[in-house]
Amino acid sequence: MKVATYRADGTSGEERSLPETPFDGTVNEDALHQVITAVLANRRQGTASTKTRSTVHGGSRKPWRQKGTGRARAGSIRSALWRGGSVVFGPHPRSYRVRVPRQLRRLAIRSALNTRALSGDLALVEPLDFDPPRTRDVAALLTRIGRASENVLVLTAGYKPNVYLSARNLPGVRVLPWGEASAYDILWSDLVLVEAPALNGQADGAGESEA
């Protein structure tokens, strides 16, 4: 599988072949669905809360006598039938966390990388070094590539603070070290830009903490 390559200034280079691991062309859609669903569920706060009949303030006195008024029977103004009353089967604080096995997470990451590579939305770039950090350098790089208005995930070879600082003010651009991106991060992006040296010691156990 071959992908486009770019120099640090955004000019095009020769196409390069990707390593067979993890780029074997296999896409497991079921694994992607399970992991992405789990990531989104784990991001939920679970703080929604409603009051039951026992927790609504007031309403201990019967509003009118049981018989003889011609009106329906009522025992409390805090009934769920009344305005300002309780909520029946309403949400209460809970955890939505879903545990995903490590092997399934890794399979989803490989599938996400292959999805981007097969669709032509994964490219290699020479090592980036912005010293001092400059946002305009990253913006110029993406403009020359033709992806300035899209979501771009930059995977660096190791931790590079200057690259992160240069891109953090650009909307739709994320910078993560190779091996720390989850399947959600990869599928969120319209383009995955990988520093070429990152593939030399590549690992596919990225984003395990996300699910």
Side-chain angles (χ1 to χ4, degrees), residues 6-62:
Y6 298 97
R7 299 182 181 88
D9 59 358
T11 57
S12 299
E14 296 182 356
E15 287 190 344
R16 282 187 51 182
S17 297
L18 294 173
E20 294 184 0
T21 304
F23 299 99
D24 56 0
T26 302
V27 177
N28 191 312
E29 294 184 359
D30 183 59
L32 284 174
H33 179 269
Q34 291 187 54
V35 171
I36 298 302
T37 301
V39 169
L40 295 177
N42 294 344
R43 292 185 176 185
R44 296 185 64 175
Q45 290 183 328
T47 55
S49 180
T50 55
K51 290 187 177 183
T52 63
R53 183 163 179 161
S54 64
T55 55
V56 176
H57 181 70
S60 60
R61 183 174 62 87
K62 189 174 176 66

Side-chain angles (χ1 to χ4, degrees), residues 88-199:
V88 179
F89 302 129
H92 298 286
R94 54 161 292 191
S95 172
Y96 289 92
R97 186 156 191 84
V98 179
R99 181 186 174 276
V100 180
R102 180 181 300 176
Q103 290 184 348
L104 182 60
R105 290 196 294 264
R106 291 180 172 178
L107 176 59
I109 292 168
R110 290 196 299 270
S111 298
L113 289 172
N114 281 295
T115 298
R116 285 290 169 259
L118 291 172
S119 62
D121 295 322
L122 186 144
L124 301 180
V125 65
E126 290 181 351
L128 303 175
D129 185 17
F130 305 116
D131 189 20
R134 285 195 181 93
T135 301
R136 64 187 178 189
D137 292 341
V138 180
L141 169 63
L142 298 180
T143 299
R144 294 191 186 101
I145 294 176
R147 300 295 190 104
S149 60
E150 300 180 3
N151 294 333
V152 178
L153 174 64
V154 181
L155 299 179
T156 59
Y159 180 61
K160 292 191 173 182
N162 285 350
V163 178
Y164 169 77
L165 293 174
S166 299
R168 66 177 177 176
N169 286 334
L170 293 175
V173 179
R174 293 181 184 176
V175 176
L176 292 172
W178 172 269
E180 292 190 11
S182 67
Y184 180 86
D185 295 324
I186 297 170
L187 294 184
W188 163 87
S189 61
D190 299 311
L191 171 67
V192 179
L193 203 58
V194 185
E195 282 190 329
L199 297 181

